[in-house]
Amino acid sequence: MNITIAAAGLPTDKYPSFGNVEYDLSKALLAAGHKVTYLNFDIRTFRIKRRIGVYKEINEGVPTYTISLPLGARLDFTPMLQRLARYMFSKIEKEQGPQDILNAHFYMVGAICATIPLHSNVKLVVTEHSSHLNKEVSAIRARSMKLAREAYKNAAEVIAVSDVLASRLAENFNVKAHVIGNMVNVQTFSRVTKKEHSGFNLICVGRFEDVKRIEALIETMSLVVNENRGAEICLNIFGDGPDRTLIESLIQERNLTTNIKLLGERPQKTIAQFLEISDVFVLLSDSETFGESYAEAICAGVPVIATRCGGPESFVNSRNGILVSKENRVREAADAINEMINGKLSFTADSVKSTSEIFFPEHIVTQLETLFNHALH
């Protein structure tokens, strides 16, 4: 098949998590024998320094077509971006041949690509990941509702990355979505071998924004450190975002500067290295439509602690981790960590890894191939 993956990002050294799920998928489809093209819409604010313009490059064998404009998200530039998307897609078909499938990720990109099937024989498949839609309809912003409706109206098929998100799409948009989870970069994470280390190490990977509730994790650490005085306990947090200053202040207020390290955004290889010396992965989100960072930890053999917030419930179980309530997340997470520190609760790397096959590229690609063929016929 000739497949174009459309995404709102492409990972770089400075922004390694920007579009990494979609880009890893494009490489997996390429490895499976498909001809793959990557269509990147980078409309981040001008404050993000990067190359601006419309251009083509080759990344690891994948032809990549980028529309990079510092538009931001305040105004609705959808009609203009739709015209640019049609132009760029016609260029793709001229240079790469007629495309069978256009797989757009997230409703915003789906909306930008929505008019392409009206000018091409390509079948649009929208993969939805967004936590913005994982809510009751009354809590979803009007603009998000408009863009989501635009995204799905010309789609041959819609994919949701978890059961809970599929249910939301049915309730809010009358869309029947097929559930196919995200894949994990197995080359990086499944090769992690646990190493001996001193103390008890925790790890977290998440953006510093409201929905991820990093501040709740800081409060959890405060309880754990106070209840295990004298123990060597360290939390390494990877990520960045608008709440960073708040998190830094909270760490200082709780006297946790020696226990918590903020390491910023780092490439997957660096995170994998820290997973080698980590005893547990913890993220206490309000909402996750899937939970890529939990899945990466599981592939590395590191047990996870997650809130019952949508995505994690579909793959976190007694063999690989613990689910806690959102209502009492701080106390329940602290209790689980205390039990692990004191040896009352333990997981083996082999047990955790044994649950990870559902994230393997070949598993996800097989499901996508079936759905893509269905869309074509």
Side-chain angles (χ1 to χ4, degrees):
M1 267 182 277
N2 286 354
I3 302 168
T4 295
I5 301 294
L10 181 71
T12 62
D13 290 341
K14 189 172 183 179
Y15 302 103
S17 62
F18 187 54
N20 65 309
V21 171
E22 299 95 316
Y23 185 58
D24 283 345
L25 175 60
S26 71
K27 291 188 290 183
L29 288 166
L30 182 68
H34 301 284
K35 186 175 180 181
V36 181
T37 303
Y38 198 83
L39 178 54
N40 172 33
F41 299 96
D42 187 346
I43 59 170
R44 292 174 294 174
T45 173
F46 67 90
R47 295 184 182 88
I48 305 297
K49 304 301 180 185
R50 81 277 191 188
R51 182 180 176 183
I52 300 297
V54 178
Y55 55 91
K56 173 192 171 185
E57 55 193 355
I58 305 294
N59 291 299
E60 298 182 78
V62 179
T64 302
Y65 294 75
T66 294
I67 295 173
S68 177
L69 297 172
L71 303 179
R74 292 187 179 182
L75 300 177
D76 187 359
F77 293 99
T78 307
M80 180 190 74
L81 287 168
Q82 286 179 334
R83 291 192 294 272
L84 282 171
R86 292 196 300 270
Y87 161 77
M88 193 63 101
F89 192 76
S90 67
K91 187 176 177 67
I92 287 171
E93 293 208 302
K94 182 178 179 180
E95 297 178 358
Q96 307 300 329
Q99 298 296 291
D100 300 305
I101 296 292
L102 172 59
N103 182 203
H105 289 255
F106 290 90
Y107 66 90
M108 184 190 74
V109 176
I112 293 170
C113 293
T115 62
I116 290 176
L118 305 179
H119 301 266
S120 168
N121 290 324
V122 73
K123 297 297 183 182
L124 175 63
V125 176
V126 178
T127 299
E128 193 55 76
H129 308 251
S130 181
S131 294
H132 294 304
L133 305 184
N134 189 26
K135 305 173 183 177
E136 293 184 2
V137 67
S138 60
I140 300 175
R141 293 178 299 177
R143 181 165 179 253
S144 294
M145 290 292 295
K146 177 183 176 183
L147 289 173
R149 291 193 182 104
E150 179 75 5
Y152 308 143
K153 70 178 183 181
N154 293 327
E157 301 286 355
V158 176
I159 297 169
V161 294
S162 65
D163 291 322
V164 68
L165 184 57
S167 296
R168 288 294 193 189
L169 296 184
E171 293 168 8
N172 297 339
F173 302 98
N174 196 30
V175 167
K176 182 180 179 181
H178 304 265
V179 178
I180 301 177
N182 287 341
M183 55 165 274
V184 169
N185 185 342
V186 175
Q187 291 286 89
T188 298
F189 292 101
S190 291
R191 293 180 177 180
V192 167
T193 301
K194 298 301 293 298
K195 293 182 178 179
E196 292 293 327
H197 58 275
S198 61
F200 187 88
N201 293 339
L202 302 91
I203 185 171
C204 174
V205 181
R207 184 163 167 75
F208 291 8
E209 58 185 354
D210 289 347
V211 71
K212 297 298 184 180
R213 295 299 304 273
I214 303 297
E215 87 288 349
L217 180 54
I218 305 306
E219 296 293 354
T220 298
M221 274 294 289
S222 181
L223 291 179
V224 169
V225 170
N226 287 329
E227 292 166 0
N228 295 275
R229 291 192 178 278
E232 183 184 346
I233 302 170
C234 180
L235 167 63
N236 294 301
I237 304 180
F238 292 90
D240 210 338
D243 290 348
R244 185 181 180 97
T245 301
L246 170 66
I247 298 305
E248 289 173 336
S249 298
L250 191 57
I251 290 170
Q252 291 181 347
E253 289 171 10
R254 298 294 185 270
N255 296 316
L256 294 170
T257 54
T258 60
N259 302 99
I260 299 177
K261 308 299 180 186
L262 302 183
L263 301 174
E265 287 197 44
R266 299 291 183 90
Q268 291 179 335
K269 288 182 179 179
T270 301
I271 294 170
Q273 289 170 352
F274 274 78
L275 284 166
E276 292 178 345
I277 56 169
S278 295
D279 298 290
V280 63
F281 176 99
V282 191
L283 179 61
L284 305 175
S285 301
D286 269 340
S287 176
E288 293 281 355
T289 55
F290 180 72
E292 186 77 6
S293 55
Y294 302 105
E296 291 169 349
I298 289 170
C299 283
V302 177
V304 305
I305 298 175
T307 38
R308 295 183 183 89
C309 60
E313 293 96 304
S314 64
F315 56 83
V316 177
N317 55 54
S318 60
R319 288 185 295 163
N320 60 29
I322 299 166
L323 290 167
V324 301
S325 69
K326 289 194 290 185
E327 296 75 17
N328 196 28
R329 74 190 86 196
V330 171
R331 184 66 265 173
E332 290 179 25
D335 288 344
I337 294 166
N338 286 342
E339 289 190 344
M340 295 178 77
I341 291 173
N342 297 319
K344 296 179 181 178
L345 178 65
S346 63
F347 298 86
T348 67
D350 287 343
S351 171
V352 175
K353 281 191 174 186
S354 71
T355 66
S356 66
E357 288 187 359
I358 59 171
F359 311 124
F360 284 16
E362 52 268 31
H363 179 76
I364 301 302
V365 166
T366 297
Q367 294 179 77
L368 287 174
E369 288 171 334
T370 300
L371 185 62
F372 290 166
N373 278 312
H374 185 266
L376 290 172
H377 301 102

